[in-house]
């Protein structure tokens, strides 16, 4: 409460003290029984034995007791009076409204009449209080307008109390959160009970904060339990978005309770989206998030069941509607559940895109007529006929004026039921009495109402004009004349066809206060009869006695069984309340405002269908699915094509290289490079490139988890075996040349150098087989964002890391051996050893691994496209670098031979390798090469078979020294 409100409270307490100074008696603070005379008796009269009233002496001049106000007779013969303060929302933003305020006043006055008459047509238990002398005093009744959202309840009350000589015995109302908070502080200061007929702020029920507040409507626990029950009843227990006013304590309280309810009902994926209401200022205690941002985040979640919790429905409706329109949350594929208090009987007030101010003095009825060239304010409404309106096709669901509230169409509004017997919905004792209210009753209302009668004329005109036009009621059936007509309550106008908002609870609040006063009166009589001493009651105030009486009632009210004590002393038991589901605008904005769809009866907790619930498009089934299709991070078509293109270029390059080797297999340079190893290098590179294909599939291509698991397991086989095969070939090729140049054997065939490669490949196959058979490496789709449901698919497992370490070591062995052998043969002619190109190959591939692997880990949970493209680039780089650095130099040498060569081992000097050429000229040239050590002849043929010494001698007849030939 702000500082201004505190000042107002202090001033009001000072006024109360001054009023009480003339009503208190001298002496100590005691409770005694005194008789009541038939004539008016002021409260400062001395107490005489036998009086039937309770007086509390206040030597300090404090507030008057309940006894002086409740049981001191101001002029009602042979009775006692109950002075009430009736706090009602008679206006909204300064404008008078028939519903709820005016008609709530009618419900309150009808309840007072029924209590004073002990009329049992609605509440049978009134028959038990026939002997109670308590009467509600109309002369001392104070009706105040609390407004709805303004913090002016204190100032209004102070103005109303200026000419009063006494304070009320109890406060009935108010209906809205802000005034209720203010008046509850006043009730605590005056120590008088306050019985609200709608409580939004749960703090009002806390005994340590607001000890004198009782609540006739069900508390938030009952409301949220019903909300959870309804969602479960409709099968919407997953992906629930809660939009709430984070700047309102009551909305936060409801959110927290609903979270507990959702958890108890095993609901999944309940996400809240808070916003600062347009009504409340932003401060450090509230999130600096506006409605548009909250709705944007809600849209991103993809949740299609939206629960809206706010005490400021009228204020937040328009910005929520605009945001819903902006993010397409009002297209019928989202199901809105309004779990908050709204006035569904009042015409909508929504600004349109043509800047019509629907919240101004004109209202939406005037704007509709202006859209059709009519001036309702200046025309004779009595003479207007519906057929004179011409073409009204503009009044459809596309009318701009309702774009901002389109989200409410086909929405569900949860509220306390207005039907006492759902099995006989046409029978309502309350409505039976309501329709019997006559013109004299209306006159009494107008006398009590602080709002001027003419303030309702404008709204009455709008109702009268729109009701026949919108099909609510025929023109001839609408009450005739200006407001108020004599048959106001008997005509079946739309906003009176069912009890007005809050009317049932207000009726029961009046009854609970009156019946509680009777119980308090009975208790005081028993005190007298039991001859209790002052000491027994001196610590109990008069207000507490009345409050105890109110909270002890148990009766069948207009809103159901009224009984207090559910969780908190002043809280109505939720099990006594029936709830209903209201279908808002089931057939569009210009037909029925709402229909009651289902009712959950309090007596048996069963659901009863009153009318079928109409969802968007006239469907009778809720919109499906429960959420937007979440981003599954499937491979995009463009990225997949890019990856397959990389694979294609690699395979084409490998195929071209293979064909080139076959064509030029007899050329001296190709022969010196040992073609058989070049073939196997192409095969190993192909395996590596093919792994891209198996990475390019996911569920978007119709593959199930089992098929994708197979591709997951195929990729390591292709990558590991392809890499090992490629580097085994390079190592074996260089090792064979090195052994030839070492002159360690007379024959160096393939079998002499292949055994290390066989062992490595065999070990790799065994490890991969065990890994495939024993681990749970599989395709897994996991959720990366619980709110949006975004998921990622990848290959994963729990035990694979135990195998990846030895497999990685095994992969590194041929790579290391190849590098070692390249170092040993670095001085050999390039025709035999590609040492420098192998070093370049290893350097490039190591750089790719160092840079790309960490990026893949980063992209793993961020982007499936990025992960696939990164993996494809790595798998493309390995075969392509092999082709470019191993095959391309040979192609250049064959097609563009150099003029001179660098001298190297086996190329010049006294050490030369012969047998490189295939032509006779080349052979004769090579045959003249002599070596320094005349020993045995070691020869190697290109097909892998050993060449004998005699064959070499025949080839090089002029050579008398040792020769090394490679064919």
């Amino acid at each position: 409460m702000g500082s201004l409100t505190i000042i107002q409270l202090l001033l009001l307490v000072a006024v109360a003290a001054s009023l009480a100074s003339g009503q208190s008696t001298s002496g100590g603070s005691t409770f005694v029984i005194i008789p009541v005379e038939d004539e008016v008796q002021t409260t400062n009269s001395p107490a005489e034995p036998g009086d039937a009233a309770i007086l509390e002496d206040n030597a300090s001049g404090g507030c008057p007791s309940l006894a002086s106000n409740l049981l001191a007779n101001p002029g009602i013969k042979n009775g006692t009076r109950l002075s009430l303060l009736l706090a009602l929302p008679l206006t909204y933003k300064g404008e008078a409204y028939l519903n709820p305020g005016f008609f709530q006043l009618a419900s309150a006055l009808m309840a007072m009449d029924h209590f004073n008459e002990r009329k049992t047509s609605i509440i049978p238990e009134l028959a038990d209080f026939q002997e109670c002398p308590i009467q509600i005093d109309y002369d001392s009744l104070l009706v105040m307008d609390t407004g709805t959202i303004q913090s002016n309840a204190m100032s209004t009350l102070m103005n109303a109390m200026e000419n009063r000589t006494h304070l009320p015995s109890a406060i009935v109302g108010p209906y809205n959160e802000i005034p209720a908070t203010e008046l509850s502080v006043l009730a605590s200061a005056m120590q008088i009970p306050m019985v609200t007929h709608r409580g939004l702020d749960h703090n009002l029920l806390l005994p340590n904060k607001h000890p004198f507040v009782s609540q006739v409507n069900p508390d938030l626990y009952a409301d949220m339990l019903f909300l959870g029950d309804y969602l479960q009843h409709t099968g919407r227990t997953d992906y629930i978005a809660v939009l709430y006013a984070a700047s309102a304590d009551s909305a936060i309280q409801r959110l927290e309770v609903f979270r507990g309810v959702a958890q108890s009902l095993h609901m999944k994926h309940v996400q809240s989206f808070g916003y600062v209401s347009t009504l409340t200022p932003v401060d450090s205690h509230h999130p600096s998030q506006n409605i548009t941002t909250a709705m944007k985040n809600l849209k991103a979640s993809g949740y299609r069941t939206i629960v809206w919790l706010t005490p400021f429905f009228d204020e937040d409706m328009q910005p929520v509607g605009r945001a819903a329109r902006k993010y397409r949350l009002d297209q019928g594929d989202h199901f809105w559940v309004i779990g908050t208090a709204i006035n569904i009987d009042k015409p909508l007030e929504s600004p349109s895109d043509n800047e019509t101010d629907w919240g101004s003095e004109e209202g939406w009825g005037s704007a509709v007529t202006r859209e059709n060239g009519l001036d309702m304010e200046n025309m004779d409404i009595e003479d207007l006929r519906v057929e004179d309106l011409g073409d009204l096709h503009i009044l459809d669901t596309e009318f701009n004026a309702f774009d901002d509230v389109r989200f409410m169409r086909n929405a569900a509004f949860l509220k306390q039921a207005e039907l006492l017997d759902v099995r006989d919905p046409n029978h309502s004792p309350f409505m039976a009495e309501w329709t019997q209210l006559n013109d004299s009753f209306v006159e009494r209302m107008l006398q009590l109402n602080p709002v001027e009668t003419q303030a309702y004329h404008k709204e009455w005109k709008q109702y009268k004009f729109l009701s026949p036009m919108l099909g609510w009621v025929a023109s001839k059936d609408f009450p005739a004349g200006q407001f108020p007509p004599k048959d106001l309550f008997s005509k079946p106008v739309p906003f009176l066809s069912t009890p007005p908002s809050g009317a049932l609870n207000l009726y029961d609040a009046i009854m609970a206060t009156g019946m509680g006063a009777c119980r308090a009166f009975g208790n005081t009589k028993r005190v007298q009869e039991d001859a209790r001493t002052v000491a027994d009651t001196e610590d109990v105030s008069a207000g507490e006695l009345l409050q105890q009486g109110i909270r002890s009632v148990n009766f069948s009210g207009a809103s159901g069984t009224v009984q207090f004590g559910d969780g908190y002393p002043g809280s109505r038991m939720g099990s006594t309340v029936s709830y209903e589901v209201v279908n808002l605008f089931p057939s569009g904005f210009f037909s029925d405002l709402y229909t009651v769809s289902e009712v959950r009866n309090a007596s048996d907790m069963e659901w009863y269908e009153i009318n079928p619930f109409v969802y968007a498009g006239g469907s009778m089934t809720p919109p499906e699915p429960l959420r937007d299709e979440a981003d599954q991070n499937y491979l995009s078509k463009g990225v997949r094509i890019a990856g397959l293109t990389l694979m294609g270029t690699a395979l084409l390059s490998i195929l071209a290289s293979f064909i080139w080797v076959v064509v030029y297999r007899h050329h001296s340079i190709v022969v010196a490079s040992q073609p058989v190893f070049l073939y196997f290098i192409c095969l190993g590179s192909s395996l590596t490139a093919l792994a891209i294909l198996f990475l390019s599939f996911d569920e978007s291509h119709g593959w199930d988890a089992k098929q994708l698991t197979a591709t997951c397991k195929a990729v390591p086989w292709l990558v590991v075996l392809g890499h090992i095969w490629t580097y085994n070939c390079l190592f074996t090729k260089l090792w064979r040349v090195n052994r030839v140049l070492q002159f360690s054997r007379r024959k160096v065939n393939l079998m002499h150098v292949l055994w290390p490669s066989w062992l490595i490949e065999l070990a790799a196959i065994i490890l991969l087989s065990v890994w495939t058979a024993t681990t749970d490496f599989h395709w897994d789709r996991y959720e990366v964002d619980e709110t949006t449901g975004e998921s990622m698919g990848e290959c994963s497992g729990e035990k694979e890391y135990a195998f990846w370490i030895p497999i990685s070591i095994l992969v590194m062995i041929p790579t290391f051996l190849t590098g070692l052998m390249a170092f040993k043969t670095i001085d050999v002619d390039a025709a035999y050893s590609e040492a420098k190109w192998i070093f370049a190959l290893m350097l490039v591939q190591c750089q790719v691994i160092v840079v790309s692997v960490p990026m893949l880990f980063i992209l793993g949970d961020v982007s499936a496209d990025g992960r696939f493209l990164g993996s494809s680039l790595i798998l493309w780089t390995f075969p392509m670098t092999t082709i470019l650095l191993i095959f391309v130099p040979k192609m250049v040498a064959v097609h563009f031979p150099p003029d001179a060569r660098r001298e190297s081992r086996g190329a010049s000097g006294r050490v030369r390798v012969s047998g490189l050429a295939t032509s006779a000229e080349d052979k004769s040239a090579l045959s003249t090469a002599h070596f320094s050590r005349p020993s045995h002849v070691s020869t190697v043929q290109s097909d892998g078979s050993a060449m004998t010494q005699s064959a070499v001698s025949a080839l090089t007849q002029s050579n008398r020294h040792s020769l090394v030939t490679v064919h």
Side-chain angles (χ1 to χ4, degrees):
M1 184 176 296
S3 59
L4 179 59
T5 303
I6 295 175
I7 294 174
Q8 292 173 343
L9 174 61
L10 294 176
L11 291 175
L12 184 60
V13 172
V15 172
S18 64
L19 291 173
S21 62
Q23 300 176 4
S24 60
T25 59
S26 60
S29 178
T30 59
F31 290 87
V32 293
I33 305 299
I34 62 174
V36 174
E37 301 293 339
D38 290 345
E39 302 298 330
V40 177
Q41 175 179 310
T42 57
T43 56
N44 58 353
S45 302
E48 297 292 340
D51 287 350
I54 304 175
L55 291 179
E56 179 183 5
D57 295 337
N58 284 309
S60 61
C63 296
S65 66
L66 167 70
S68 60
N69 286 319
L70 171 61
L71 302 177
N73 183 1
I76 300 178
K77 188 175 181 179
N78 297 326
T80 56
R81 72 166 186 169
L82 179 62
S83 176
L84 297 181
L85 168 61
L86 191 58
L88 301 177
L90 300 173
T91 61
Y92 170 71
K93 293 184 178 179
E95 293 289 328
Y97 279 103
L98 294 170
N99 197 352
F102 184 85
F103 293 118
Q104 284 190 10
L105 177 58
S107 177
L109 186 57
M110 185 175 75
M112 295 176 194
D113 290 346
H114 290 182
F115 175 79
N116 288 343
E117 299 169 9
R118 304 300 190 265
K119 191 172 184 178
T120 60
S121 58
I122 298 178
I123 300 180
E125 288 83 354
L126 280 176
D128 300 334
F129 297 91
Q130 296 292 341
E131 302 299 325
C132 174
I134 299 295
Q135 293 283 299
I136 298 176
D137 182 25
Y138 299 110
D139 294 334
S140 61
L141 176 65
L142 175 60
V143 180
M144 66 169 292
D145 173 31
T146 63
T148 55
I149 59 176
Q150 298 91 343
S151 300
N152 58 1
M154 286 296 196
S155 59
T156 303
L157 182 58
M158 290 175 63
N159 294 332
M161 291 293 297
E162 287 182 355
N163 298 322
R164 294 278 174 166
T165 59
H166 63 277
L167 294 181
S169 304
I171 302 174
V172 177
Y175 189 63
N176 299 90
E177 178 179 358
I178 295 177
T181 302
E182 291 189 2
L183 293 181
S184 67
V185 177
L186 173 65
S188 299
M190 295 169 51
Q191 293 192 340
I192 61 174
M194 184 174 87
V195 185
T196 66
H197 58 297
R198 186 181 73 171
L200 298 177
D201 190 350
H202 183 65
N203 289 325
L204 294 175
L205 294 175
L206 300 179
N208 59 331
K209 292 185 177 181
H210 305 278
F212 285 88
V213 177
S214 299
Q215 184 174 295
V216 170
N217 68 296
D219 60 20
L220 63 90
Y221 289 102
D223 289 346
M224 294 301 101
L225 281 172
F226 176 68
L227 172 59
D229 191 22
Y230 174 69
L231 292 174
Q232 191 175 53
H233 175 65
T234 54
R236 306 188 79 84
T237 58
D238 201 357
Y239 305 114
I240 300 170
V242 182
L243 181 68
Y244 71 102
S247 52
D249 291 340
S250 61
I252 297 175
Q253 294 162 4
R254 275 165 167 69
L255 171 65
E256 294 303 321
V257 174
F258 177 70
R259 282 174 174 167
V261 170
Q263 184 176 4
S264 66
L265 295 177
H266 306 290
M267 295 181 178
K268 299 178 293 182
H269 304 102
V270 178
Q271 186 72 20
S272 58
F273 302 89
Y275 67 88
V276 175
S277 173
T278 55
L279 182 67
T280 55
V282 180
D283 58 33
S284 59
H285 298 90
H286 301 139
S288 57
Q289 187 173 11
N290 57 31
I291 291 177
T292 302
T293 304
M295 295 291 279
K296 179 181 178 181
N297 295 335
L298 192 154
K299 173 64 176 179
S301 72
Y303 293 4
R304 292 192 175 184
T305 302
I306 305 175
V307 175
W308 187 21
L309 303 175
T310 177
F312 312 123
F313 175 82
D314 291 331
E315 293 71 32
D316 295 345
M317 175 181 63
Q318 296 171 7
V320 166
R322 283 193 291 268
R325 177 157 54 100
K326 178 178 180 180
Y327 295 110
R328 302 186 64 80
L329 298 172
D330 59 353
Q331 303 301 304
D333 52 356
H334 291 75
F335 182 46
W336 285 78
V337 179
I338 303 175
T340 186
I342 66 173
N343 184 9
I344 57 177
D345 298 315
K346 186 174 66 177
L348 293 178
E349 298 172 359
S350 175
S352 66
D353 292 335
N354 58 11
E355 298 182 355
T356 299
D357 188 359
W358 298 78
S360 67
E361 295 182 356
E362 293 181 289
W364 68 285
S366 300
V368 169
T369 57
R370 189 175 62 250
E371 292 289 339
N372 291 274
L374 301 175
D375 185 2
M376 189 179 68
E377 294 298 322
N378 299 319
M379 70 188 310
D380 189 356
I381 195 70
E382 298 296 332
D383 298 331
L384 179 65
R385 298 177 302 172
V386 174
E387 53 268 25
D388 295 334
L389 295 177
D391 185 11
L392 293 177
H393 68 275
I394 191 173
L395 298 178
D396 56 19
T397 56
E398 300 302 323
F399 186 44
N400 289 340
F402 293 94
D403 282 349
D404 290 347
V405 292
R406 191 182 302 276
F407 74 99
M408 288 200 303
R409 182 174 177 180
N410 305 108
F413 167 47
L414 311 184
K415 62 188 290 287
Q416 187 178 344
E418 296 170 344
L419 300 174
L420 286 180
D421 189 355
V422 297
R423 286 155 288 197
D424 186 10
N426 295 321
H427 172 66
S428 172
F430 182 91
M431 290 306 299
E433 292 292 334
W434 183 267
T435 55
Q436 298 302 315
L437 300 178
N438 53 31
D439 55 343
S440 61
F441 181 88
V442 175
E443 289 297 327
R444 293 169 57 203
M445 285 183 58
L446 297 179
Q447 293 176 5
L448 292 172
N449 192 356
V451 178
E452 295 294 334
T453 304
Q454 58 266 25
Y456 298 105
H457 289 173
K458 187 181 301 181
E459 185 185 8
W460 185 253
K461 283 184 179 181
Q462 293 173 3
Y463 272 121
K464 188 172 184 177
F465 175 77
L466 291 172
S467 292
M469 186 174 64
L470 302 182
W472 292 343
V473 65
S475 299
K476 61 183 179 61
D477 294 328
F478 199 92
Q482 295 291 335
F483 181 83
K486 294 182 178 181
D487 51 356
L488 175 62
F489 293 97
S490 59
K491 284 288 187 179
V493 291
F495 44 84
L496 295 179
S497 59
T498 58
S501 301
L504 299 180
N505 283 337
L506 181 57
Y507 184 95
D508 289 341
I510 296 290
M511 287 295 178
T513 305
M515 295 166 72
C518 286
R519 286 185 176 273
F521 177 79
N523 291 337
T524 59
K525 289 189 66 176
R526 283 191 294 273
V527 170
Q528 180 189 22
E529 293 169 358
D530 295 342
R532 296 182 63 182
T533 63
V534 172
D536 295 327
T537 58
E538 62 182 0
D539 59 340
V540 181
S541 69
E544 288 177 312
L545 288 176
L546 178 54
Q547 178 173 260
Q548 291 172 6
I550 293 172
R551 291 178 176 178
S552 66
V553 298
N554 184 351
F555 61 93
S556 301
S559 62
T561 302
V562 177
Q563 186 177 359
F564 296 95
D566 189 6
Y568 294 97
S571 175
R572 179 176 176 179
M573 298 185 67
S575 59
T576 67
V577 179
S578 296
Y579 284 90
E580 67 186 14
V581 180
V582 175
N583 190 184
L584 296 180
F585 308 106
S587 303
F589 291 118
F590 295 97
S591 56
D592 293 332
L593 283 177
Y594 64 91
T595 58
V596 177
S597 174
E598 290 182 286
V599 174
R600 193 193 68 180
N601 200 21
S603 60
D604 54 11
M605 301 302 288
E606 293 293 330
W607 288 89
Y608 295 87
E609 184 180 86
I610 308 301
N611 296 290
F613 196 102
V614 181
Y615 297 93
S619 172
M620 296 300 170
T621 58
E624 295 288 347
L626 296 180
R627 64 169 306 157
D628 294 342
E629 184 177 354
D631 185 3
Q632 304 297 322
N633 282 293
Y634 294 135
L635 288 179
S636 62
K637 184 178 180 180
V639 171
R640 186 168 186 262
I641 292 175
L644 295 178
T645 300
L646 291 175
M647 182 192 72
T649 58
L651 292 177
L652 287 175
S653 300
I654 294 169
L655 179 62
S657 300
F658 181 86
I659 294 174
W660 183 84
V661 172
V662 173
V663 172
Y664 291 95
R665 65 185 180 276
H666 299 301
H667 193 279
S668 59
I669 294 179
V670 178
V671 170
S673 300
Q674 307 178 69
V676 65
F677 291 110
L678 298 180
Y679 297 149
F680 284 113
I681 290 174
C682 289
L683 177 60
S685 299
S686 299
L687 293 177
T688 303
L690 280 173
I692 298 177
L693 175 64
F694 291 90
L695 289 176
S696 65
F697 293 101
D698 55 25
E699 296 91 341
S700 64
H701 300 92
W703 288 43
D704 57 22
K706 183 177 180 180
Q707 293 171 314
L708 292 173
T709 297
T711 63
C712 288
K713 294 182 177 181
V715 171
W717 280 82
L718 293 173
V719 174
V720 171
L721 293 182
H723 182 85
I724 289 177
W725 203 308
T726 298
Y727 274 90
N728 274 344
C729 290
L730 292 174
F731 161 70
T732 304
K733 177 177 177 296
L734 294 179
W735 189 32
R736 190 181 188 194
V737 171
N738 186 63
R739 292 192 63 179
V740 166
L741 295 178
Q742 292 292 330
F743 301 101
S744 58
R745 296 182 60 87
R746 297 179 63 86
K747 299 179 181 180
V748 181
N749 55 28
L750 288 178
M751 298 301 297
H752 294 147
V753 292
L754 283 179
W755 63 268
S757 299
W758 286 353
L759 290 179
I760 294 173
E761 290 171 5
L762 179 62
I765 292 173
I766 293 174
L767 276 176
L768 288 171
S769 299
V770 175
W771 166 78
T772 303
T774 59
T775 65
D776 63 341
F777 197 65
H778 64 285
W779 176 261
D780 178 40
R781 180 160 292 279
Y782 60 96
E783 195 173 67
V784 296
D785 192 324
E786 183 177 355
T787 300
T788 63
E790 181 183 0
S791 66
M792 296 281 289
E794 67 174 7
C795 301
S796 65
E798 296 181 356
K799 302 178 181 179
E800 72 273 10
Y801 293 106
F803 291 89
W804 283 128
I805 295 176
I807 289 177
S808 299
I809 295 174
L810 197 60
V811 168
M812 294 301 297
I813 290 176
T815 307
F816 173 77
L817 293 177
T818 300
L820 178 63
M821 200 54 58
F823 176 77
K824 289 185 176 182
T825 59
I826 195 170
D827 59 340
V828 176
D829 191 288
Y832 299 96
S833 171
E834 306 89 345
K836 65 177 182 179
W837 298 113
I838 290 177
F839 282 131
L841 172 67
M842 295 176 63
L843 178 62
V844 171
Q845 292 183 351
C846 286
Q847 287 177 337
V848 170
I849 292 175
V850 170
V851 174
S852 300
V853 171
M855 293 182 63
L856 288 181
F857 278 103
I858 295 174
L859 293 173
D861 294 335
V862 176
S863 171
D865 286 344
R867 184 180 60 200
F868 170 74
L869 196 57
S871 301
S872 299
L873 286 171
I874 294 176
L875 296 176
W876 175 82
T877 301
F878 273 63
M880 287 302 295
T881 52
T882 302
I883 296 300
L884 291 174
L885 297 176
I886 300 298
F887 288 84
V888 172
K890 301 182 189 303
M891 297 177 184
V892 172
V894 169
H895 297 287
F896 306 100
D899 296 333
R901 281 186 168 183
R902 177 181 61 86
E903 291 186 359
S904 59
R905 189 160 51 121
S908 61
R910 297 184 59 82
V911 179
R912 188 175 181 84
V913 180
S914 63
L916 295 175
T918 56
S919 62
E921 181 182 355
D922 291 336
K923 288 180 181 180
S924 62
L926 292 172
S927 65
T928 60
H930 292 78
F931 291 86
S932 58
R933 48 183 260 187
S935 59
H936 61 274
V937 178
S938 179
T939 65
V940 181
Q941 287 184 222
S942 60
D943 60 355
S945 60
M947 181 178 287
T948 61
Q949 185 174 0
S950 59
V952 175
S953 300
L955 182 63
T956 57
Q957 297 177 2
S958 60
N959 185 13
R960 297 182 179 181
H961 300 282
S962 299
L963 298 176
V964 179
T965 63
V966 180
H967 297 279

